[in-house]
Coordinates of all heavy atoms in Angstrom, one line a residue:
M1 N 32.7 96.4 43.5 CA 34.0 95.7 43.7 C 34.6 96.1 45.1 O 34.4 97.2 45.6 CB 35.0 96.2 42.6 CG 34.6 95.7 41.2 SD 35.8 96.3 40.0 CE 35.1 97.9 39.7
T2 N 35.3 95.2 45.7 CA 35.9 95.4 47.0 C 36.8 96.6 47.0 O 36.8 97.4 48.0 CB 36.7 94.2 47.4 OG1 35.8 93.1 47.4 CG2 37.3 94.3 48.7
I3 N 37.6 96.8 46.0 CA 38.5 97.9 45.9 C 37.8 99.3 46.0 O 38.4 100.3 46.4 CB 39.5 97.8 44.7 CG1 40.6 98.8 44.9 CG2 38.7 98.1 43.4 CD1 41.7 98.6 43.8
A4 N 36.6 99.3 45.6 CA 35.8 100.6 45.6 C 35.0 100.8 46.9 O 34.4 101.8 47.0 CB 34.9 100.6 44.3
R5 N 35.0 99.7 47.7 CA 34.1 99.8 48.9 C 35.0 99.8 50.2 O 34.4 100.0 51.3 CB 33.2 98.6 49.0 CG 32.1 98.6 48.0 CD 31.1 97.5 48.3 NE 31.6 96.3 48.7 CZ 32.0 95.2 48.0 NH1 31.7 95.2 46.7 NH2 32.5 94.1 48.5
E6 N 36.2 99.6 50.2 CA 37.1 99.5 51.4 C 38.1 100.5 51.3 O 38.6 101.0 50.3 CB 37.7 98.1 51.5 CG 36.7 97.0 51.7 CD 37.3 95.6 51.9 OE1 38.6 95.5 52.0 OE2 36.6 94.7 52.1
E7 N 38.6 100.9 52.5 CA 39.7 101.9 52.6 C 41.0 101.1 52.4 O 41.3 100.2 53.1 CB 39.7 102.6 54.0 CG 38.6 103.5 54.2 CD 38.6 104.2 55.6 OE1 39.0 103.5 56.5 OE2 38.1 105.3 55.6
I8 N 41.7 101.6 51.4 CA 43.0 100.9 51.1 C 44.1 102.0 51.3 O 44.1 103.0 50.7 CB 43.0 100.5 49.6 CG1 41.9 99.4 49.4 CG2 44.4 99.9 49.3 CD1 41.7 99.1 48.0
F9 N 44.9 101.7 52.3 CA 46.0 102.7 52.7 C 47.2 102.3 51.9 O 48.0 101.4 52.4 CB 46.2 102.7 54.2 CG 45.0 103.2 54.9 CD1 44.0 102.4 55.4 CD2 44.8 104.6 55.0 CE1 42.9 102.9 56.1 CE2 43.6 105.1 55.6 CZ 42.7 104.3 56.2
G10 N 47.5 102.9 50.8 CA 48.6 102.6 50.0 C 48.5 103.3 48.6 O 47.5 104.0 48.4
P11 N 49.5 103.1 47.8 CA 49.5 103.8 46.5 C 48.5 103.1 45.5 O 49.0 102.4 44.6 CB 50.9 103.7 46.1 CG 51.4 102.5 46.7 CD 50.7 102.4 48.0
V12 N 47.2 103.2 45.7 CA 46.2 102.5 44.9 C 45.2 103.6 44.4 O 44.8 104.4 45.1 CB 45.5 101.5 45.7 CG1 44.4 100.8 44.9 CG2 46.5 100.4 46.2
M13 N 44.8 103.4 43.2 CA 43.8 104.3 42.6 C 42.8 103.4 41.9 O 43.2 102.6 41.0 CB 44.3 105.4 41.7 CG 43.2 106.3 41.2 SD 43.5 107.5 39.9 CE 45.1 108.1 40.2
S14 N 41.5 103.5 42.2 CA 40.5 102.8 41.4 C 40.0 103.7 40.3 O 39.6 104.9 40.6 CB 39.3 102.5 42.3 OG 39.7 101.7 43.4
V15 N 40.0 103.2 39.1 CA 39.5 104.0 37.9 C 38.3 103.2 37.4 O 38.5 102.1 36.9 CB 40.6 104.2 36.9 CG1 40.0 104.9 35.6 CG2 41.8 104.9 37.5
L16 N 37.1 103.8 37.5 CA 35.9 103.2 37.1 C 35.2 104.0 36.0 O 35.2 105.2 36.0 CB 35.0 103.0 38.3 CG 35.6 102.4 39.5 CD1 34.6 102.5 40.7 CD2 35.9 100.9 39.3
S17 N 34.6 103.3 35.1 CA 33.7 104.1 34.1 C 32.5 104.6 34.8 O 32.0 104.0 35.8 CB 33.4 103.2 32.9 OG 32.7 102.1 33.3
W18 N 31.8 105.6 34.1 CA 30.6 106.1 34.7 C 29.7 106.7 33.6 O 30.2 106.9 32.5 CB 30.9 107.2 35.7 CG 31.9 108.2 35.2 CD1 33.3 108.1 35.2 CD2 31.7 109.5 34.6 NE1 33.9 109.2 34.7 CE2 32.9 110.1 34.3 CE3 30.5 110.2 34.3 CZ2 33.0 111.3 33.7 CZ3 30.6 111.4 33.7 CH2 31.9 112.0 33.4
R19 N 28.4 106.8 33.9 CA 27.5 107.3 32.9 C 27.2 108.8 32.9 O 27.3 109.4 31.9 CB 26.1 106.5 33.1 CG 26.2 105.0 32.7 CD 24.8 104.4 32.8 NE 24.2 104.5 34.1 CZ 24.5 103.6 35.1 NH1 25.3 102.6 34.9 NH2 23.9 103.7 36.3
D20 N 27.0 109.3 34.1 CA 26.8 110.7 34.3 C 27.1 111.1 35.7 O 27.5 110.3 36.5 CB 25.3 111.0 34.0 CG 24.3 110.2 34.7 OD1 24.6 109.9 35.9 OD2 23.2 110.0 34.2
W21 N 27.0 112.4 36.0 CA 27.4 112.9 37.3 C 26.6 112.2 38.5 O 27.2 111.9 39.5 CB 27.2 114.4 37.3 CG 27.7 115.1 38.6 CD1 28.9 115.5 38.8 CD2 26.9 115.4 39.8 NE1 29.0 116.1 40.1 CE2 27.8 116.0 40.7 CE3 25.6 115.2 40.1 CZ2 27.4 116.4 41.9 CZ3 25.2 115.6 41.4 CH2 26.1 116.2 42.3
D22 N 25.3 112.0 38.3 CA 24.5 111.4 39.3 C 25.0 110.0 39.6 O 25.0 109.5 40.8 CB 23.0 111.4 39.0 CG 22.4 112.8 38.9 OD1 22.8 113.6 39.8 OD2 21.6 113.1 38.1
D23 N 25.4 109.2 38.6 CA 25.9 107.9 38.8 C 27.2 107.9 39.6 O 27.4 107.1 40.5 CB 26.1 107.3 37.4 CG 26.7 105.9 37.4 OD1 26.2 105.1 38.2 OD2 27.7 105.6 36.7
V24 N 28.1 108.8 39.3 CA 29.3 109.0 40.0 C 29.1 109.2 41.5 O 29.6 108.6 42.4 CB 30.2 110.1 39.4 CG1 31.4 110.4 40.3 CG2 30.7 109.8 38.1
I25 N 28.2 110.2 41.8 CA 27.9 110.5 43.2 C 27.3 109.4 43.9 O 27.6 109.0 45.1 CB 27.1 111.8 43.3 CG1 27.8 113.0 42.7 CG2 26.6 112.1 44.7 CD1 29.2 113.3 43.3
A26 N 26.3 108.7 43.3 CA 25.6 107.6 43.9 C 26.5 106.5 44.3 O 26.5 106.0 45.4 CB 24.4 107.1 43.0
R27 N 27.4 106.1 43.3 CA 28.3 105.1 43.6 C 29.4 105.4 44.6 O 29.8 104.7 45.5 CB 29.0 104.6 42.3 CG 28.0 103.7 41.5 CD 28.7 102.9 40.4 NE 29.1 103.8 39.4 CZ 30.1 103.4 38.5 NH1 30.7 102.3 38.6 NH2 30.4 104.2 37.5
A28 N 29.8 106.7 44.6 CA 30.8 107.1 45.6 C 30.3 107.2 47.0 O 31.0 106.8 47.9 CB 31.3 108.5 45.2
N29 N 29.0 107.5 47.1 CA 28.4 107.6 48.4 C 27.8 106.2 48.9 O 27.4 106.2 50.1 CB 27.3 108.7 48.5 CG 27.9 110.1 48.4 OD1 29.1 110.2 48.7 ND2 27.1 111.0 47.9
A30 N 27.8 105.2 48.1 CA 27.1 104.0 48.4 C 28.2 103.1 49.1 O 28.4 101.9 48.8 CB 26.6 103.3 47.2
T31 N 28.8 103.6 50.1 CA 29.8 102.9 50.9 C 29.6 103.3 52.4 O 29.1 104.3 52.7 CB 31.2 103.2 50.5 OG1 32.1 102.5 51.3 CG2 31.5 104.6 50.5
R32 N 30.0 102.4 53.3 CA 29.9 102.7 54.7 C 31.0 103.6 55.2 O 31.1 103.9 56.4 CB 29.8 101.4 55.5 CG 31.0 100.5 55.4 CD 30.7 99.2 56.1 NE 31.9 98.3 55.9 CZ 33.0 98.5 56.5 NH1 33.2 99.4 57.4 NH2 34.0 97.6 56.3
L33 N 32.0 103.9 54.3 CA 33.2 104.7 54.7 C 33.1 106.1 54.0 O 32.4 106.3 53.1 CB 34.4 103.9 54.2 CG 34.5 102.5 54.8 CD1 35.6 101.7 54.0 CD2 34.8 102.5 56.3
G34 N 33.9 107.0 54.6 CA 34.0 108.3 54.0 C 35.2 109.1 54.5 O 35.0 110.2 55.0
L35 N 36.4 108.6 54.3 CA 37.6 109.3 54.8 C 37.9 110.4 53.8 O 37.8 111.6 54.2 CB 38.7 108.3 55.0 CG 40.0 109.0 55.6 CD1 39.7 109.6 56.9 CD2 41.1 107.9 55.7
T36 N 38.3 110.1 52.6 CA 38.7 111.1 51.7 C 38.1 110.8 50.3 O 37.7 109.6 50.0 CB 40.2 111.2 51.5 OG1 40.7 110.0 51.0 CG2 40.9 111.6 52.8
A37 N 38.1 111.8 49.4 CA 37.7 111.6 48.0 C 38.5 112.5 47.2 O 39.1 113.5 47.7 CB 36.2 111.9 47.9
N38 N 38.7 112.1 45.9 CA 39.4 113.0 45.0 C 38.5 113.3 43.8 O 37.7 112.5 43.3 CB 40.6 112.2 44.4 CG 41.7 112.1 45.4 OD1 41.6 111.3 46.3 ND2 42.7 112.8 45.3
V39 N 38.6 114.6 43.4 CA 37.8 115.1 42.2 C 38.9 115.7 41.2 O 39.7 116.5 41.6 CB 36.9 116.2 42.6 CG1 36.2 116.7 41.4 CG2 35.8 115.6 43.6
W40 N 38.8 115.2 40.0 CA 39.7 115.7 39.0 C 38.9 116.3 37.9 O 38.1 115.7 37.2 CB 40.6 114.6 38.4 CG 41.5 114.0 39.5 CD1 41.2 113.0 40.3 CD2 42.8 114.4 39.7 NE1 42.2 112.7 41.1 CE2 43.3 113.6 40.8 CE3 43.7 115.4 39.2 CZ2 44.6 113.7 41.3 CZ3 45.0 115.4 39.8 CH2 45.4 114.7 40.8
T41 N 39.0 117.7 37.6 CA 38.3 118.4 36.6 C 38.9 119.7 36.4 O 39.6 120.3 37.3 CB 36.8 118.6 37.0 OG1 36.1 119.3 36.0 CG2 36.6 119.3 38.3
N42 N 38.7 120.3 35.2 CA 39.1 121.7 34.9 C 38.1 122.7 35.2 O 38.3 123.9 35.1 CB 39.5 121.7 33.4 CG 40.8 121.0 33.1 OD1 41.7 120.9 33.9 ND2 40.9 120.4 31.9
D43 N 36.9 122.2 35.6 CA 35.7 123.1 35.8 C 35.5 123.3 37.3 O 35.1 122.4 38.0 CB 34.5 122.5 35.1 CG 33.3 123.3 35.2 OD1 33.2 124.1 36.2 OD2 32.3 123.2 34.4
I44 N 35.8 124.5 37.8 CA 35.8 124.7 39.2 C 34.3 124.6 39.8 O 34.1 124.1 40.9 CB 36.3 126.1 39.6 CG1 36.5 126.2 41.1 CG2 35.5 127.2 39.1 CD1 37.4 125.3 41.8
S45 N 33.3 124.9 38.9 CA 31.9 124.8 39.3 C 31.6 123.3 39.5 O 31.0 122.9 40.6 CB 31.0 125.4 38.3 OG 29.7 125.1 38.6
T46 N 32.0 122.4 38.6 CA 31.8 121.0 38.8 C 32.6 120.4 40.0 O 32.1 119.6 40.8 CB 32.3 120.2 37.5 OG1 31.5 120.7 36.4 CG2 32.2 118.8 37.7
A47 N 33.8 121.0 40.2 CA 34.6 120.5 41.4 C 33.9 120.8 42.7 O 33.8 120.0 43.6 CB 35.9 121.2 41.3
M48 N 33.4 122.0 42.8 CA 32.7 122.4 44.1 C 31.4 121.7 44.3 O 31.1 121.3 45.4 CB 32.6 123.9 44.1 CG 33.9 124.7 44.1 SD 35.1 124.0 45.3 CE 34.3 124.4 46.8
R49 N 30.6 121.6 43.2 CA 29.4 120.9 43.2 C 29.6 119.4 43.7 O 28.9 118.9 44.5 CB 28.7 120.9 41.9 CG 27.4 120.1 41.8 CD 26.9 120.2 40.3 NE 25.7 119.3 40.2 CZ 25.5 118.6 39.0 NH1 26.3 118.8 38.0 NH2 24.5 117.8 39.0
T50 N 30.6 118.8 43.1 CA 30.9 117.4 43.4 C 31.4 117.3 44.9 O 31.0 116.4 45.6 CB 32.0 116.8 42.4 OG1 31.4 117.0 41.1 CG2 32.2 115.4 42.7
A51 N 32.3 118.2 45.3 CA 32.9 118.2 46.6 C 31.7 118.3 47.7 O 31.7 117.6 48.7 CB 33.9 119.3 46.8
R52 N 30.7 119.1 47.4 CA 29.6 119.3 48.3 C 28.8 118.0 48.4 O 28.3 117.6 49.4 CB 28.7 120.5 47.9 CG 29.2 121.8 48.3 CD 28.2 122.9 48.1 NE 27.8 123.0 46.7 CZ 28.4 123.7 45.8 NH1 29.4 124.4 46.0 NH2 27.9 123.7 44.5
A53 N 28.7 117.3 47.3 CA 27.8 116.1 47.2 C 28.5 114.9 47.8 O 27.7 113.9 48.2 CB 27.4 115.9 45.8
L54 N 29.8 114.8 47.8 CA 30.5 113.6 48.3 C 30.4 113.5 49.8 O 30.6 114.5 50.5 CB 31.9 113.6 47.8 CG 32.1 113.4 46.3 CD1 33.5 113.7 45.9 CD2 31.7 112.0 45.9
E55 N 30.1 112.3 50.3 CA 30.0 112.1 51.8 C 31.4 111.6 52.2 O 31.6 110.4 52.5 CB 28.9 111.0 52.0 CG 27.5 111.5 51.6 CD 26.5 110.4 51.7 OE1 26.9 109.2 52.0 OE2 25.3 110.7 51.4
A56 N 32.3 112.6 52.3 CA 33.7 112.3 52.8 C 34.1 113.4 53.6 O 33.7 114.6 53.5 CB 34.6 112.1 51.6
G57 N 35.0 113.1 54.6 CA 35.5 114.1 55.5 C 36.4 115.1 54.9 O 36.6 116.2 55.4
Y58 N 37.1 114.7 53.8 CA 38.1 115.6 53.2 C 38.0 115.2 51.7 O 38.1 114.1 51.3 CB 39.5 115.4 53.7 CG 40.5 116.3 53.2 CD1 40.3 117.7 53.4 CD2 41.6 115.9 52.5 CE1 41.3 118.6 52.9 CE2 42.6 116.7 52.0 CZ 42.4 118.1 52.2 OH 43.3 119.0 51.8
V59 N 37.9 116.3 50.9 CA 37.9 116.1 49.4 C 39.1 116.8 48.8 O 39.2 118.0 49.0 CB 36.5 116.6 48.8 CG1 36.5 116.5 47.3 CG2 35.3 115.9 49.4
H60 N 39.8 116.2 48.0 CA 41.0 116.7 47.3 C 40.5 117.1 45.9 O 39.9 116.3 45.3 CB 42.1 115.7 47.2 CG 42.5 115.0 48.4 ND1 43.3 115.6 49.4 CD2 42.2 113.7 48.8 CE1 43.4 114.7 50.4 NE2 42.8 113.6 50.1
V61 N 40.8 118.3 45.4 CA 40.4 118.7 44.1 C 41.7 118.8 43.3 O 42.6 119.7 43.7 CB 39.6 120.0 44.0 CG1 39.3 120.4 42.6 CG2 38.3 119.7 44.7
N62 N 41.9 118.0 42.2 CA 43.1 118.1 41.4 C 44.4 118.0 42.1 O 45.4 118.7 41.9 CB 43.1 119.4 40.6 CG 41.9 119.5 39.6 OD1 41.4 118.5 39.2 ND2 41.6 120.7 39.3
G63 N 44.4 117.1 43.1 CA 45.6 116.8 43.9 C 45.4 115.6 44.7 O 44.4 114.9 44.7
T64 N 46.4 115.4 45.6 CA 46.4 114.2 46.4 C 46.4 114.5 47.9 O 46.7 113.6 48.7 CB 47.6 113.2 46.0 OG1 48.8 114.0 46.2 CG2 47.5 112.7 44.7
G65 N 46.2 115.7 48.3 CA 45.9 116.0 49.6 C 46.9 116.5 50.5 O 47.0 116.1 51.7
R66 N 47.6 117.6 50.1 CA 48.5 118.3 51.0 C 47.7 119.3 51.7 O 47.3 120.3 51.2 CB 49.6 118.9 50.2 CG 50.5 117.9 49.6 CD 51.8 118.4 49.1 NE 52.6 118.6 50.3 CZ 53.8 119.2 50.3 NH1 54.2 119.8 49.3 NH2 54.4 119.3 51.5
R67 N 47.4 119.0 53.0 CA 46.5 119.9 53.8 C 47.3 121.0 54.4 O 48.4 120.7 55.0 CB 45.8 119.1 54.9 CG 44.8 118.1 54.4 CD 44.1 117.4 55.6 NE 44.9 117.1 56.7 CZ 45.5 116.0 56.9 NH1 45.6 115.1 56.0 NH2 46.2 115.8 58.0
P68 N 46.8 122.2 54.5 CA 47.5 123.2 55.2 C 47.6 122.9 56.7 O 46.7 122.3 57.2 CB 46.7 124.5 55.0 CG 45.8 124.2 53.8 CD 45.6 122.7 53.8
T69 N 48.6 123.3 57.4 CA 48.7 123.1 58.8 C 47.5 123.7 59.5 O 47.1 124.8 59.3 CB 50.0 123.8 59.3 OG1 51.1 123.3 58.6 CG2 50.2 123.6 60.8
G70 N 47.0 122.9 60.4 CA 45.8 123.3 61.2 C 44.5 123.1 60.6 O 43.4 123.2 61.2
M71 N 44.5 122.6 59.3 CA 43.2 122.3 58.7 C 42.6 121.1 59.3 O 43.3 120.0 59.4 CB 43.4 122.1 57.2 CG 42.0 121.8 56.4 SD 42.3 121.4 54.7 CE 41.4 122.7 54.0
P72 N 41.4 121.1 59.7 CA 40.8 119.9 60.3 C 40.7 118.7 59.3 O 40.5 118.9 58.2 CB 39.4 120.3 60.6 CG 39.4 121.8 60.7 CD 40.4 122.2 59.8
F73 N 41.0 117.5 59.9 CA 41.0 116.3 59.0 C 40.3 115.2 59.8 O 40.6 115.0 61.0 CB 42.4 115.9 58.7 CG 42.4 114.6 57.9 CD1 42.1 114.6 56.5 CD2 42.8 113.4 58.5 CE1 42.2 113.4 55.8 CE2 42.8 112.2 57.8 CZ 42.5 112.2 56.4
G74 N 39.4 114.5 59.2 CA 38.7 113.3 59.8 C 37.7 112.8 58.8 O 37.2 113.5 57.9
G75 N 37.3 111.5 59.0 CA 36.4 110.9 58.2 C 34.9 111.1 58.6 O 34.6 111.6 59.6
W76 N 34.1 110.7 57.7 CA 32.7 110.5 57.9 C 32.3 109.1 58.0 O 33.0 108.2 57.6 CB 31.9 111.2 56.8 CG 31.9 112.7 56.8 CD1 32.7 113.6 57.5 CD2 31.1 113.6 56.0 NE1 32.5 114.8 57.2 CE2 31.5 114.9 56.2 CE3 30.2 113.4 55.0 CZ2 30.9 116.0 55.6 CZ3 29.6 114.4 54.4 CH2 30.0 115.8 54.7
K77 N 31.0 108.8 58.4 CA 30.5 107.5 58.4 C 31.4 106.6 59.3 O 31.7 107.0 60.4 CB 30.3 106.9 57.0 CG 29.5 107.7 56.1 CD 29.4 107.0 54.7 CE 28.7 107.9 53.7 NZ 28.7 107.2 52.4
N78 N 31.8 105.5 58.8 CA 32.6 104.6 59.7 C 34.1 104.8 59.5 O 34.9 103.9 59.7 CB 32.3 103.1 59.3 CG 30.9 102.7 59.9 OD1 30.4 103.3 60.8 ND2 30.3 101.7 59.3
S79 N 34.5 106.0 59.0 CA 35.9 106.2 58.8 C 36.4 107.2 60.0 O 36.7 108.3 59.7 CB 36.1 106.9 57.5 OG 35.9 106.0 56.4
G80 N 36.6 106.6 61.1 CA 37.1 107.4 62.2 C 36.1 108.2 63.0 O 35.0 108.3 62.7
L81 N 36.6 108.7 64.1 CA 35.8 109.5 65.0 C 36.4 110.9 65.2 O 37.6 111.0 65.4 CB 35.7 108.8 66.4 CG 35.1 107.4 66.4 CD1 35.3 106.8 67.8 CD2 33.7 107.4 66.0
G82 N 35.6 111.9 65.1 CA 36.1 113.2 65.3 C 37.0 113.8 64.3 O 37.1 113.2 63.2
K83 N 37.7 114.8 64.6 CA 38.6 115.5 63.7 C 40.0 115.6 64.4 O 40.1 115.7 65.6 CB 38.1 116.9 63.4 CG 36.8 117.0 62.7 CD 36.9 116.5 61.2 CE 35.6 116.6 60.5 NZ 35.7 116.0 59.2
E84 N 41.0 115.7 63.5 CA 42.4 116.0 63.9 C 42.7 117.4 63.5 O 42.3 117.8 62.4 CB 43.3 115.0 63.3 CG 43.1 113.5 63.7 CD 43.9 112.6 62.9 OE1 44.9 113.0 62.2 OE2 43.7 111.4 63.0
N85 N 43.5 118.1 64.2 CA 44.0 119.4 63.9 C 42.9 120.5 64.1 O 41.7 120.2 64.0 CB 44.5 119.5 62.5 CG 45.7 118.5 62.3 OD1 46.5 118.3 63.2 ND2 45.8 118.0 61.1
G86 N 43.4 121.7 64.3 CA 42.5 122.8 64.4 C 41.6 122.8 65.6 O 41.6 122.0 66.5
L87 N 40.8 123.8 65.7 CA 39.8 124.1 66.7 C 38.9 122.8 66.9 O 38.5 122.5 68.0 CB 39.0 125.3 66.5 CG 38.0 125.7 67.6 CD1 38.7 125.9 69.0 CD2 37.3 127.0 67.2
E88 N 38.5 122.2 65.8 CA 37.6 121.1 65.8 C 38.1 120.0 66.7 O 37.4 119.3 67.4 CB 37.3 120.6 64.4 CG 36.4 121.5 63.6 CD 37.2 122.7 63.0 OE1 38.4 122.8 63.2 OE2 36.5 123.6 62.5
E89 N 39.4 119.7 66.7 CA 40.0 118.7 67.5 C 39.8 119.0 69.0 O 39.4 118.2 69.8 CB 41.5 118.5 67.2 CG 42.0 117.4 68.1 CD 43.5 117.0 67.7 OE1 44.2 117.7 67.0 OE2 43.9 115.9 68.2
L90 N 40.1 120.3 69.4 CA 39.9 120.7 70.8 C 38.5 120.6 71.2 O 38.2 120.1 72.3 CB 40.4 122.1 71.0 CG 41.9 122.3 70.8 CD1 42.3 123.8 70.9 CD2 42.7 121.5 71.8
L91 N 37.5 121.0 70.3 CA 36.1 120.9 70.6 C 35.6 119.5 70.8 O 34.7 119.2 71.5 CB 35.3 121.7 69.6 CG 35.5 123.2 69.6 CD1 34.7 123.8 68.4 CD2 35.1 123.8 70.9
S92 N 36.3 118.5 70.2 CA 35.9 117.1 70.3 C 36.1 116.6 71.7 O 35.5 115.5 72.0 CB 36.6 116.3 69.2 OG 38.0 116.1 69.6
Y93 N 36.9 117.3 72.5 CA 37.1 116.8 73.9 C 36.1 117.5 74.8 O 36.3 117.4 76.1 CB 38.5 117.1 74.3 CG 39.5 116.3 73.6 CD1 40.3 116.8 72.5 CD2 39.7 115.0 74.0 CE1 41.2 116.1 71.9 CE2 40.6 114.2 73.3 CZ 41.4 114.8 72.2 OH 42.3 114.0 71.6
T94 N 35.2 118.3 74.3 CA 34.3 119.0 75.2 C 32.8 118.6 74.9 O 32.5 118.0 73.9 CB 34.3 120.6 74.9 OG1 33.9 120.8 73.6 CG2 35.8 121.0 75.1
R95 N 32.0 118.8 75.9 CA 30.6 118.6 75.7 C 29.9 119.9 76.3 O 30.1 120.3 77.4 CB 30.0 117.4 76.6 CG 30.5 116.1 76.0 CD 29.8 114.9 76.6 NE 29.3 115.1 78.0 CZ 28.9 114.2 78.8 NH1 28.8 112.9 78.3 NH2 28.5 114.4 80.0
E96 N 29.1 120.4 75.4 CA 28.4 121.7 75.8 C 27.1 121.3 76.5 O 26.4 120.3 76.2 CB 28.1 122.5 74.5 CG 29.4 123.1 73.9 CD 29.0 124.0 72.7 OE1 28.0 124.7 72.8 OE2 29.8 124.0 71.8
K97 N 26.7 122.2 77.4 CA 25.5 122.1 78.1 C 25.0 123.5 78.4 O 25.7 124.3 78.8 CB 25.6 121.3 79.4 CG 24.3 121.1 80.2 CD 24.5 120.5 81.5 CE 24.8 119.0 81.3 NZ 24.8 118.2 82.5
S98 N 23.7 123.7 78.1 CA 23.1 124.9 78.4 C 22.1 124.8 79.6 O 21.4 123.8 79.6 CB 22.3 125.4 77.2 OG 23.2 125.6 76.1
V99 N 22.1 125.8 80.5 CA 21.3 125.7 81.6 C 20.6 127.1 81.8 O 21.3 128.1 81.7 CB 22.1 125.4 82.9 CG1 21.2 125.5 84.1 CG2 22.8 124.0 82.8
T100 N 19.3 127.1 81.9 CA 18.6 128.3 82.2 C 18.0 128.2 83.6 O 17.6 127.2 84.1 CB 17.5 128.6 81.2 OG1 16.6 127.5 81.3 CG2 18.1 128.7 79.8
V101 N 18.0 129.4 84.3 CA 17.5 129.4 85.6 C 16.5 130.6 85.7 O 16.8 131.7 85.3 CB 18.6 129.6 86.7 CG1 18.0 129.7 88.1 CG2 19.6 128.5 86.6
T102 N 15.3 130.3 86.2 CA 14.3 131.3 86.5 C 14.3 131.6 88.0 O 14.0 130.7 88.7 CB 12.9 130.9 86.0 OG1 13.0 130.7 84.6 CG2 11.9 132.0 86.2
L103 N 14.7 132.8 88.4 CA 14.8 133.1 89.8 C 13.4 133.5 90.3 O 12.6 134.2 89.6 CB 15.7 134.2 90.1 CG 17.2 133.9 89.7 CD1 18.0 135.2 89.9 CD2 17.7 132.8 90.5
L104 N 13.0 132.9 91.4 CA 11.7 133.2 92.0 C 11.7 134.3 93.0 O 12.6 134.6 93.6 CB 11.1 131.9 92.6 CG 11.0 130.7 91.7 CD1 10.6 129.5 92.5 CD2 10.0 131.0 90.6

């Protein structure tokens, strides 16, 4: 469905039925976008396993995303470039280069 494949910026929640955990992860990751994801569970082990498996730049667990000040934020895949906030944002403006020299 379109609502499950596009970024919708507004008060919208898609509620879909699912068969098992693998089905949930496969469908959640079968999109070209990856800004944020939400996980709702009472089991912290399931929450962390799911957060690791989701291809999203930011995963909210049992909430809607109040990020602490300075916490990096940014999408994966086609959901934006780089990160906002924190050291990661500053590093996005740099390019590292390593040079070795053998003196003769």
Side-chain angles (χ1 to χ4, degrees):
M1 290 180 278
T2 301
I3 195 170
R5 289 190 324 264
E6 294 184 2
E7 288 178 329
I8 299 170
F9 294 96
V12 176
M13 180 189 322
S14 301
V15 179
L16 308 170
S17 62
W18 47 278
R19 290 184 301 276
D20 56 30
W21 185 85
D22 292 323
D23 179 45
V24 170
I25 299 303
R27 286 198 285 159
N29 290 339
T31 176
R32 59 184 178 78
L33 304 167
L35 185 58
T36 64
N38 288 75
V39 177
W40 296 86
T41 181
N42 290 326
D43 183 336
I44 191 64
S45 176
T46 298
M48 298 310 293
R49 175 181 173 218
T50 304
R52 280 190 301 272
L54 290 169
E55 296 171 357
Y58 186 60
V59 178
H60 313 281
V61 176
N62 297 336
T64 56
R66 298 195 75 188
R67 294 184 322 272
T69 302
M71 176 182 246
F73 177 77
W76 287 11
K77 304 179 186 181
N78 290 336
S79 290
L81 301 172
K83 297 289 184 189
E84 299 173 9
N85 299 326
L87 182 60
E88 288 77 5
E89 181 173 15
L90 294 175
L91 293 175
S92 73
Y93 292 103
T94 66
R95 288 193 331 192
E96 293 184 34
K97 182 183 285 189
S98 298
V99 177
T100 61
V101 176
T102 301
L103 298 176
L104 303 175

